[in-house]
Amino acid sequence: MKYTYLDKSLNEINDKVVSGERLGFEDGIALYKSNDLIGVGYLADYVRRKLHGKKAFYVYNQHLNFTNICLNRCLFCAFSRDDGEKDAFALSIDDVRSRLMERINEPVRELHVVGGLNSSLSFDYYIELLNTIKEVRPDSTIKAFTAVEIDHIAKVGGLSIEETIAELKKAGLEMIPGGGAEVMSDRVRKKLFPRKIDSNRWLEIMEALHSAGLTSNATMLYGHIETLNERVDHLIKLRELQDKTGGFTAFIPLAFHSQNTRLSHLPSTTAFDDLKNIALARLMLDNFSHIKAYWVMIGERLAQVGLSFGADDLDGTIIEEKITHMAGAKSAKGLTRAQMEHLISSAGFTPVERDSFYGKIG
Amino acid sequence: MNNLDKIIEKAASNERINSSEALTLLNEAELLTLAELANKKRQHLNPEPVVTFVVDRNINYTNICISGCLFCAFYCPPGHADAYVISKKELKEKIEETLSLGGTQILIQGGLNPSLSLDYYIDLLKFIKDNFPVHIHGFSPPEIAFIAEKSSLSLKDTINKLIDAGLGSIPGGGAEILVDEIREKTSPNKCSVDQWLEVMKTAHNCGLRTTATMMFGHMEKPEHIIEHLMKIRNLQDNTGGFTAFIPWTFQPDNTRIKVEKATSVEYLRVLAVSRLFLDNIQNIQASWVTQGDKIAQVALVFGANDLGSTMIEENVVAAAGVKFRLPKEEMIRLIQDAGYAAAQRDCFYNIIVAVHGLKLEIGK
Ligand code: SF4
Ligand code: SF4
C-alpha cells in the first residue's frame, strides 16, 4: 500500500493488516477515532480486495414481515406495536401465501422473513409459515427468524433450542438473519431493550444454530447511545464465536434511524460514521467472508461508496422494505436488478448476483 | 511505471496536470486514489482544517423562460398557468426572513423572461439595496447575455449598470457543460460557450467576482467534462475572478432527458478531478442539494472545502424531484463530525462567524 496516512497512528495498523496480523481492541478504537477517513478506507479496501477482488455481490430477495406485534417493545424500534393497536398486524398463512403469489413471476432467490414476538402465534404457525413458503417458492432460500425469535418460538413450543431448531429446519429453514444482538452491552440493553434476550443468550443460540448446520449473518445496530468501546467489544465477541463455529456468512452494520421511535431526539448517523463502521467491520472481522453495505439504512448513494470502504455486498433488491422505512428511512423501498447492477458497475466493481450462500447465479 | 502511475505521481507532487492526464485519472484511477490526491490538493490550497458554508436564500424572481432547456424542470413558457414574476411584497418577505435567520446574501436567478427589460432588473436591485443590508449574488451568464441583447447594450455596459444598481457578484449557473456540441442538444436556445465565457470575463474585468459551475450526468462524455474544466481554468488564468467551482449532477426527474441519474461515486470522481485540475480556483463546493447530506460530508475528503448554502429555498432542483434539506445546525454537525472546524462565510469566502461549542459526541 502506498497511501501516506494523515493519521500516523494508522501506520502501525497498516503493518498488521499487510502482514495479516489480527487487530486488537485498541486498534479498533484507534480506527474509530481516526479522522483519516481515506486512510481507514484504504486499509479496509486492501483486505476487501484480497478476499473478493473487484466483485460486488447482491441477491434478488423479498422481505416478508409476518407480524409487527411484539412483546419486547424495544425503545429503538419503529416497527413494533402492541396487540390491539390500530396498525398492528399479523398475517394469516393465507395472507402469506398471497403476498408471495403477488411476486411469483420475479426471480426471487431469498426470502427474508422476520417478525415481532407475537404471543398469539403458535408453534405450529411458524412451522406452517415455513412449509407454505417452501411450497410456493421451492427454489428460494428461506432466511428467517432472528435469534431473538428462535428463543421465543422455543418458549412457545415448550421445546429446547436444539429441538426447536431441528423442527424449523425440517420445515424448510435454511439460514438465520443477523438481527437482535443490537450492540452486545448490558448497559445499552438495560436502557434500550430490557426485555430482549441478552448477549450471552444471543451468542448461545447462534452457536446452537451453527452447530445444527445452519449459517447466519451477524449485525450491529450503531448510532444510538453506544460507546466506541461497546462497538469494538461487540465486534470482538462476534469474531470469537466465529473462530469457534465458522457459521457466520456476512456482517451487516445497521445504522440507527430514530424517527418514529422513542429515541427520536437522536440525530441520524453521519456518512463518516457509516463508512467507518463498514471499514471497521472489514478490518476487525478477519474471519468473516462478507461485509454488507446495507443500502436501506445508509441510502443507496452511500452504500455505493461503501464498496470502496470494505463492503463487498449490497444486500438485496428487496421488495417492500418495512422496518427501516417505518423509522423514516429515505432510501428507495426496492431496487431493480438493473439499478443494482448500475450502482455496482458505475462504482468500478463487477456485479455478481448471488444466492444466499454466495453462489453465483447464472 | 505505467502511464496512470506517472500521472498519479505528477498530481501528487502538485504539478499542474493537462487535459489528457485529467481524463486518464477520471477514467482509470481508483476512487480512494482520487480522494487521496484531491485531499492533498485541498490541503495544499486550503491548509486550515476549516469547512465553510453560507447562509442565504435562493430567490427565483420569475419562472417564465423562452429557453426551454431539455434538462429544466423549473421553467414555464410565457402565458402558462403556473407562470409568475415575483411581487415586491413576496420578495421583501423572503429577504426579511433570510436576514432574520442570519442570512447574509441572496442568490437571485430566474428564467429568460422576454417581458422584463433592463429597467426591471435595475429596479429590482435598487429596491433590495435600498431596503436591506444584503449581498446580492445574482443573474447567471445566460440571463446577463439575454438582458444585454434585449437592451441592445454591450455586456460591459449591462454589467456596469447592474453593478451600479447593487449587483455584488454573479453565480456560475447556466454553464451546464461548456461544449457547444452538447449545448446544442440540451439547451439550444441558451447562450453559447463563448458567450458564457465572455460574460464571466467581462464581469471579472468590471471587478465582479463570480463562481463557476458544471452540471454533468446527462448527454456528455468524460472528455466533455475535462474540456469544460479546461475552459474554466484558462479563463481563470486570465482573470482570476472565480471564487469557487461547484460541480453538480443533473437531476432527471420531471425533465425531458431520460437518463439514469449520475451515481454518488461518479459525482465524487468528478469532484476530485475538479479539485486537482482547477489548481487556480481557491474553493470547491460540495453540492448537498443534489447529493444529500451523506455524500456531501464524504465530499469533504474528495477536495471540497465548502458546503455551499444552507438554502432556505431552492425551487429549481426541488422541481426536479430532489428534496434534500440541510439546516445550519445539521451542516455544522456534519462538518465537525468529519474533523473540521465549521465557519459561516460571506460571498467572497471570508469567514464571518467561526462556530464553537456545537460539537456533538458521536458514538463517544
Ligand atoms: S426490535 Fe424486534 S424485538 Fe424489539 S420491539 Fe422491535 S420487533 Fe420486537
Ligand atoms: S435552465 Fe434556465 S434558461 Fe434553461 S429553461 Fe430553465 S430557466 Fe430557462
Side-chain angles (χ1 to χ4, degrees):
Chain A
M1 276 183 282
K2 46 191 167 123
Y3 180 73
T4 319
Y5 294 98
L6 305 169
D7 173 354
K8 297 301 166 210
S9 72
L10 297 185
N11 283 323
E12 205 185 306
I13 298 177
N14 177 85
D15 295 345
K16 287 191 188 175
V17 169
V18 172
S19 65
E21 196 183 318
R22 178 164 271 195
L23 300 185
F25 179 85
E26 293 304 331
D27 298 319
I29 296 293
L31 286 163
Y32 267 127
K33 284 196 172 153
S34 180
N35 279 327
D36 189 357
L37 183 67
I38 311 166
V40 174
Y42 254 98
L43 290 166
D45 191 50
Y46 174 83
V47 177
R48 180 236 193 270
R49 268 163 208 266
K50 260 190 13 194
L51 290 168
H52 306 292
K54 286 251 163 197
K55 280 187 218 154
F57 299 92
Y58 73 96
V59 62
Y60 201 116
N61 66 345
Q62 178 172 4
H63 277 199
L64 188 73
N65 302 121
F66 52 91
T67 185
N68 65 349
I69 297 169
C70 189
L71 300 166
N72 276 357
R73 300 315 308 270
C74 309
L75 262 69
F76 54 76
C77 181
F79 168 75
S80 65
R81 295 290 181 272
D82 287 335
D83 198 0
E85 254 185 279
K86 83 171 184 323
D87 48 0
F89 71 87
L91 300 184
S92 69
I93 296 298
D94 282 344
D95 293 339
V96 169
R97 188 185 298 273
S98 57
R99 281 289 159 84
L100 295 173
M101 288 310 291
E102 279 166 23
R103 308 274 181 176
I104 200 67
N105 293 322
E106 293 180 41
V108 171
R109 304 284 169 184
E110 176 184 284
L111 290 146
H112 174 88
V113 185
V114 292
L117 309 187
N118 182 341
S119 53
S120 54
L121 300 178
S122 66
F123 187 82
D124 288 345
Y125 173 89
Y126 296 97
I127 300 295
E128 232 184 301
L129 178 67
L130 295 171
N131 283 332
T132 307
I133 299 171
K134 259 291 142 208
E135 182 200 318
V136 181
R137 282 251 178 224
D139 299 327
S140 307
T141 300
I142 306 180
K143 180 176 98 202
F145 313 136
T146 63
V148 179
E149 291 169 86
I150 302 272
D151 177 76
H152 173 77
I153 297 169
K155 279 193 193 120
V156 171
L159 298 173
S160 71
I161 286 294
E162 285 71 20
E163 291 162 343
T164 307
I165 294 170
E167 290 299 318
L168 295 173
K169 218 179 141 184
K170 221 182 343 169
L173 181 65
E174 290 166 277
M175 197 182 173
I176 306 295
E182 319 317 347
V183 94
M184 291 192 255
S185 142
D186 288 338
R187 181 190 75 86
V188 177
R189 174 167 174 261
K190 235 178 258 162
K191 290 193 173 153
L192 300 190
F193 49 99
R195 289 192 228 158
K196 196 174 246 172
I197 56 168
D198 66 13
S199 57
N200 288 335
R201 181 71 175 154
W202 189 91
L203 290 166
E204 212 173 277
I205 293 173
M206 278 299 178
E207 193 175 343
L209 287 159
H210 295 169
S211 312
L214 292 173
T215 57
S216 77
N217 290 332
T219 62
M220 174 172 75
L221 184 74
Y222 66 91
H224 40 88
I225 61 161
E226 84 290 358
T227 62
L228 294 184
N229 286 12
E230 286 162 344
R231 289 184 187 181
V232 178
D233 272 339
H234 180 98
L235 296 174
I236 291 176
K237 279 183 187 150
L238 291 175
R239 187 167 78 183
E240 283 168 357
L241 181 58
Q242 178 74 338
D243 275 343
K244 217 162 141 185
T245 67
F248 288 118
T249 308
F251 174 81
I252 312 143
L254 302 176
F256 174 56
H257 279 250
S258 68
Q259 221 178 303
N260 305 326
T261 73
R262 281 163 285 169
L263 302 171
S264 58
H265 58 283
L266 292 177
S268 49
T269 61
T270 63
F272 266 56
D273 204 21
D274 296 331
L275 292 176
K276 275 190 206 168
N277 272 290
I278 291 171
L280 259 281
R282 183 60 289 162
L283 290 165
M284 295 299 291
L285 300 176
D286 53 4
N287 52 5
F288 275 63
S289 297
H290 302 282
I291 305 294
K292 290 189 192 181
Y294 190 40
W295 62 266
V296 170
M297 285 186 159
I298 60 173
E300 50 275 32
R301 300 182 66 77
L302 188 64
Q304 189 197 26
V305 178
L307 294 175
S308 296
F309 283 79
D312 61 279
D313 187 344
L314 285 187
D315 192 70
T317 50
I318 306 188
I319 299 153
E320 298 173 299
E321 201 288 328
K322 273 211 184 75
I323 295 178
T324 313
H325 284 90
M326 286 174 89
K330 291 187 215 74
S331 54
K333 289 195 179 176
L335 293 175
T336 63
R337 197 192 247 150
Q339 285 172 321
M340 194 61 114
E341 301 227 335
H342 179 67
L343 273 180
I344 293 171
S345 52
S346 70
F349 292 89
T350 313
V352 180
E353 186 182 346
R354 62 166 177 88
D355 62 22
S356 301
F357 311 105
Y358 288 85
K360 186 178 186 305
I361 301 289
Chain B
M1 213 192 271
N2 67 24
N3 188 34
L4 177 62
D5 286 342
K6 271 189 214 137
I7 297 168
I8 290 170
E9 196 146 290
K10 184 172 174 188
S13 67
N14 252 319
E15 252 184 88
R16 180 170 264 205
I17 52 169
N18 64 33
S19 299
S20 88
E21 290 162 344
L23 186 61
T24 304
L25 285 177
L26 183 58
N27 287 335
E28 295 173 26
E30 296 292 347
L31 183 66
L32 293 181
T33 305
L34 287 177
E36 182 185 9
L37 293 172
N39 199 34
K40 257 199 190 134
K41 195 76 173 178
R42 184 257 200 240
Q43 287 176 335
H44 178 73
L45 293 169
N46 297 291
E48 294 295 321
V50 175
V51 174
T52 49
F53 61 90
V54 66
V55 179
D56 75 353
R57 170 169 225 157
N58 190 356
I59 299 176
N60 299 118
Y61 59 92
T62 183
N63 65 348
I64 298 172
C65 188
I66 50 143
S67 188
C69 307
L70 264 66
F71 49 75
C72 183
F74 163 75
Y75 82 94
C76 283
H80 189 279
D82 299 330
Y84 73 83
V85 175
I86 200 168
S87 70
K88 285 211 169 130
K89 179 169 169 286
E90 199 183 334
L91 183 65
K92 196 165 161 283
E93 282 166 8
K94 281 179 192 280
I95 300 175
E96 275 165 359
E97 198 190 350
T98 307
L99 293 173
S100 74
L101 290 168
T104 55
Q105 70 173 30
I106 52 165
L107 166 57
I108 185 154
Q109 299 188 100
L112 311 183
N113 184 338
S115 58
L116 303 179
S117 64
L118 179 60
D119 291 341
Y120 169 85
Y121 295 92
I122 288 177
D123 179 60
L124 183 74
L125 292 167
K126 283 204 169 127
F127 170 76
I128 298 170
K129 275 296 180 192
D130 286 348
N131 289 288
F132 303 102
V134 73
H135 178 93
I136 306 174
H137 186 51
F139 313 132
S140 61
E143 291 164 87
I144 304 240
F146 182 74
I147 300 166
E149 200 185 300
K150 269 200 59 181
S151 346
S152 308
L153 284 173
S154 68
L155 285 174
K156 191 171 162 213
D157 291 345
T158 308
I159 291 170
N160 276 326
K161 280 181 198 287
L162 295 172
I163 294 174
D164 288 344
L167 185 63
S169 56
I170 293 182
E176 287 51 275
I177 289 287
L178 291 172
V179 176
D180 282 326
E181 180 195 333
I182 303 298
R183 297 175 83 76
E184 274 156 26
K185 289 189 215 157
T186 58
S187 47
N189 304 317
K190 208 174 208 168
C191 69
S192 68
V193 173
D194 285 346
Q195 280 173 307
W196 192 94
L197 293 167
E198 197 54 38
V199 172
M200 285 308 194
K201 190 172 160 189
T202 311
H204 295 167
N205 289 337
C206 295
L208 275 192
R209 304 295 304 272
T210 77
T211 56
T213 66
M214 171 170 71
M215 182 183 78
F216 65 98
H218 40 91
M219 294 179 167
E220 85 292 343
K221 295 206 173 64
E223 311 45 337
H224 300 129
I225 289 175
I226 303 299
E227 198 178 326
H228 180 108
L229 295 179
M230 192 68 203
K231 284 174 183 155
I232 299 285
R233 188 168 81 179
N234 285 342
L235 181 56
Q236 180 74 342
D237 275 344
N238 206 313
T239 66
F242 290 120
T243 53
F245 181 70
I246 313 150
W248 54 288
T249 58
F250 170 56
Q251 305 297 315
D253 294 0
N254 309 330
T255 76
R256 285 171 289 158
I257 300 181
K258 300 293 164 227
V259 290
E260 276 284 344
K261 198 189 282 195
T263 63
S264 50
V265 168
E266 290 167 318
Y267 167 75
L268 292 170
R269 297 182 70 86
V270 170
L271 184 77
V273 170
S274 302
R275 174 62 298 172
L276 283 170
F277 193 78
L278 299 176
D279 53 2
N280 53 2
I281 295 184
Q282 189 74 32
N283 303 292
I284 301 285
Q285 194 180 108
S287 170
W288 66 259
V289 180
T290 62
Q291 303 305 309
D293 55 345
K294 294 212 168 186
I295 299 303
Q297 193 195 27
V298 176
L300 300 181
V301 294
F302 280 78
N305 63 306
D306 184 82
L307 276 186
S309 163
T310 54
M311 287 272 187
I312 300 161
E313 181 176 39
E314 224 295 20
N315 289 325
V316 180
V317 181
V322 177
K323 280 179 206 73
F324 294 123
R325 282 262 174 291
L326 199 56
K328 187 159 115 184
E329 290 67 30
E330 183 61 4
M331 202 175 258
I332 293 166
R333 180 174 84 97
L334 297 183
I335 294 170
Q336 294 181 336
D337 175 69
Y340 299 92
Q344 184 180 341
R345 64 163 170 86
D346 66 14
C347 193
F348 304 109
Y349 290 78
N350 301 311
I351 289 176
I352 49 177
V353 188
V355 181
H356 300 290
L358 261 162
K359 179 124 181 90
L360 283 169
E361 290 279 345
I362 308 300
K364 280 165 285 278

